[in-house]
Amino acid sequence: MNLIAERLDRISPSQTIAISTKARELKAAGKDVIGLSAGEPDFDTPQHIKDAAIAAIQSGDTRYTDVAGTPALRKAAAAYFKREHNLDYKPEQIIVSTGGKQVIFNAMLATMNDGEEAIIPAPCWVSYPDIVALAGGKPVIVAAGQNQGFKMTPEQLEAAITPKTKWLILNNPCNPTGAAYTKEELKGLAEVLLRHPHVWVFTDDIYEKLVYGDFQGSTIAAVEPKLYDRTLTMNGASKAYAMTGWRIGFAGAPIGLIKAMDKLQSQSTSSTSSISQAAAVAALEGPQESVEDMRKVYERRRDLVVGMLNKAVGIHCITPDGAFYVFPSVHGCLGKTSAGGAKIETDEDFVIALLNEQGVAAVHGSAFMFPGHFRISYATSDELLTEACSRIQTFCAGLR
C-alpha cells in the first residue's frame, strides 16, 4: 500500500516557486541574481492598514471568526463590489479565505465532479489547471497567442464548450501576460455563455486595480447581469494593497455556492486570521491614494521593461494593459547556443541559461501552459529592472 495518495500524481509543484527557490540558492552561494520571477508587489503595506492590524491585536481581536469571515469584512467586500462594479452582493453572499488561491480551491473542490471540465484560456496562472485536476475535473486549455493579445475569442470559447463543461475560469487582468479584457470583449464572451446555461464563470479579478493608460476594465457579471446567478467574482487584498503575506482573498457568488464553500472551508482552515481581516477592512474602506501611487509606478516600469526587451535580439514583447507582468516571445532565440555553451531549444532552456549565465531569474512560458515565451515581473525597482533588461540584451546578443 502506497502512503502517498494517487490524486497527487495529477498535479505538479508550482514552477514559479521552483524558479524563485533556484534563484535564492544561487544568491546564497554568492551569485549576483536579480529575481524577476515572483508575482509579489515590492511595496510595503500602507501604514493605515498596518495600524488597523496593530489596533486589532491591542484590542484583543485575536480569536476565531466566522468561517466565511467577520461581518465587518464581508460587509466591506460587498460594498467594494457595489462601488467598483455596481454588483449587489449581500454580506451572506461573500466568503473570505486564506488568499485568493483558497477561494479557487474551495470553489473547484465544492463543485467539480469527476470528469467535468473547466475551460482555461492560456497563457494562464500555473495553479488553475492543477486545482481543477486535484478536484477531479479536466482542465480544457484554450491557447490565445500574441496575435490576439493573449485573449480568448468568443469563437474559441464556443468551440471549447461541451456538455461536461462546468466552469470557465477567466483571469482579468491576466497572470502571466497582463492582458485585460475590455467591456466589449467580455460582452462577446458573455453572449456565448448565455447560449450555454450549464456553464458557470469563475472570474479572478485580483489585478483589476492595476491597469494602465486609458484602459477601462470591468467584470463579466457587471457587463452581463444575466450571468450574475452563475458567476463567482473573486478579488483580494494581495496585489492592489501590497498584502500578499496577509493572505486575504474574498469572493461574491450565489448563496448556495457560498454555503458549499463555507462547508468545505470549515473542515480545512476554518476562518482566516482575525488580524488580517481587520487589516483588510481598513484596506477596502480606508484611503485609496496608495493604490493609485503604486499603479503609476507600475505603469512607468512596464514602459521601461517593454522598451528595453524589444531591443533584445530575438525577443518580441507586446505592451500589456494590466497586472505587473510582461510575457515576451523568445521564438527568435530558439535553436541557438548561448555564450556559455547552453543549447536553447525551449523556453525553459532559455530561462535556465539566462539565470545561470546572467543571474536573471524569470519563469518559462511552458509553466503557464504556453511555450515559446517567458514571464518577467516588473514589481521591483527601476534600477534593478534596467540592469536585468541590460543583462537580457547581453544574453540575447551572445546567442549563436
Side-chain angles (χ1 to χ4, degrees):
M1 180 182 294
N2 292 327
L3 173 63
I4 307 303
E6 291 178 1
R7 72 176 66 90
L8 282 189
D9 292 336
R10 305 173 195 164
I11 65 174
S12 303
S14 170
Q15 294 186 63
T16 55
I17 294 174
I19 293 291
S20 297
T21 300
K22 170 77 169 172
R24 282 194 295 270
E25 290 173 353
L26 289 173
K27 205 166 188 176
K31 188 173 181 64
D32 177 18
V33 174
I34 301 175
L36 303 180
S37 59
E40 182 170 37
D42 61 314
F43 296 99
D44 194 16
T45 302
Q47 188 61 47
H48 71 280
I49 299 173
K50 294 190 287 186
D51 289 343
I54 293 168
I57 294 170
Q58 292 177 334
S59 66
D61 187 8
T62 56
R63 300 184 182 277
Y64 295 133
T65 76
D66 293 341
V67 170
T70 63
L73 183 50
R74 296 174 85 182
K75 179 181 177 182
Y80 174 90
F81 286 131
K82 180 67 174 179
R83 180 174 70 246
E84 297 297 325
H85 300 297
N86 200 31
L87 286 173
D88 287 311
Y89 289 116
K90 297 175 182 177
E92 56 264 35
Q93 290 179 271
I94 302 292
I95 189 167
V96 178
S97 299
T98 307
K101 186 178 284 189
Q102 190 183 20
V103 175
I104 304 165
F105 185 89
N106 286 348
M108 295 301 110
L109 208 65
T111 62
M112 295 291 283
N113 295 305
D114 287 350
E116 291 182 331
E117 298 170 352
I119 297 170
I120 306 172
C124 64
W125 183 46
V126 296
S127 293
Y128 295 141
D130 280 339
I131 291 173
V132 168
L134 193 61
K138 176 185 176 183
V140 176
I141 306 300
V142 177
Q146 262 193 5
N147 62 330
Q148 57 194 76
F150 295 123
K151 291 180 277 189
M152 181 176 63
T153 66
E155 293 76 17
Q156 287 180 304
L157 175 58
E158 182 75 61
I161 293 173
T162 76
K164 292 186 176 181
T165 305
K166 175 67 71 73
W167 287 98
L168 164 65
I169 298 178
L170 198 63
N171 186 198
N172 185 36
C174 173
N175 172 10
T177 65
Y181 290 84
T182 65
K183 292 180 181 179
E184 293 73 21
E185 290 166 337
L186 289 174
K187 187 71 173 177
L189 297 178
E191 288 172 359
V192 175
L193 292 164
L194 289 175
R195 295 196 290 270
H196 300 277
H198 67 291
V199 181
W200 282 64
V201 187
F202 187 111
T203 179
D204 178 350
D205 299 338
I206 196 80
Y207 294 97
E208 72 170 357
K209 287 288 191 178
L210 304 178
V211 294
Y212 311 116
D214 57 1
F215 184 86
Q216 296 292 319
S218 189
T219 195
I220 199 162
V223 169
E224 180 45 80
K226 292 178 183 177
L227 292 176
Y228 173 88
D229 288 331
R230 52 190 175 106
T231 297
L232 185 152
T233 306
M234 191 198 89
N235 216 299
S238 296
K239 311 301 182 179
Y241 299 100
M243 292 177 66
T244 51
W246 299 80
R247 309 309 300 135
I248 291 288
F250 56 84
I255 195 164
L257 176 56
I258 293 298
K259 285 183 176 179
M261 294 167 65
D262 181 290
K263 180 180 180 180
L264 177 62
Q265 188 164 301
S266 73
Q267 295 294 357
S268 57
T269 59
S270 294
S271 63
T272 304
S273 159
S274 61
I275 308 306
S276 295
Q277 290 189 69
V281 171
L284 296 179
E285 294 184 342
Q288 300 296 303
E289 290 83 2
S290 60
V291 178
E292 177 61 12
D293 291 343
M294 287 187 276
R295 190 201 65 80
K296 289 178 179 177
V297 173
Y298 286 135
E299 183 169 14
R300 185 186 70 239
R301 292 172 175 175
R302 176 202 65 169
D303 295 342
L304 166 67
V305 169
V306 170
M308 291 191 71
L309 287 177
N310 280 324
K311 293 177 181 177
V313 179
I315 286 181
H316 175 61
C317 184
I318 64 174
T319 303
D321 286 316
F324 41 66
Y325 309 106
V326 292
F327 197 67
S329 165
V330 294
H331 283 101
C333 302
L334 303 182
K336 299 183 179 181
T337 301
S338 73
K343 298 288 187 182
I344 310 299
E345 301 295 341
T346 67
D347 53 290
E348 187 169 5
D349 293 338
F350 179 93
V351 298
I352 291 173
L354 178 65
L355 177 57
N356 289 332
E357 297 181 25
Q358 291 291 332
V360 176
V363 186
H364 49 295
S366 299
F368 305 102
M369 311 300 291
F370 209 85
H373 297 71
F374 70 114
R375 189 193 77 173
I376 281 179
S377 167
Y378 51 85
T380 192
S381 70
D382 292 37
E383 294 76 17
L384 286 176
L385 290 170
T386 299
E387 174 62 21
C389 289
S390 295
R391 294 185 190 185
I392 293 171
Q393 289 173 353
T394 299
F395 178 80
C396 291
L399 295 174
R400 295 292 183 267

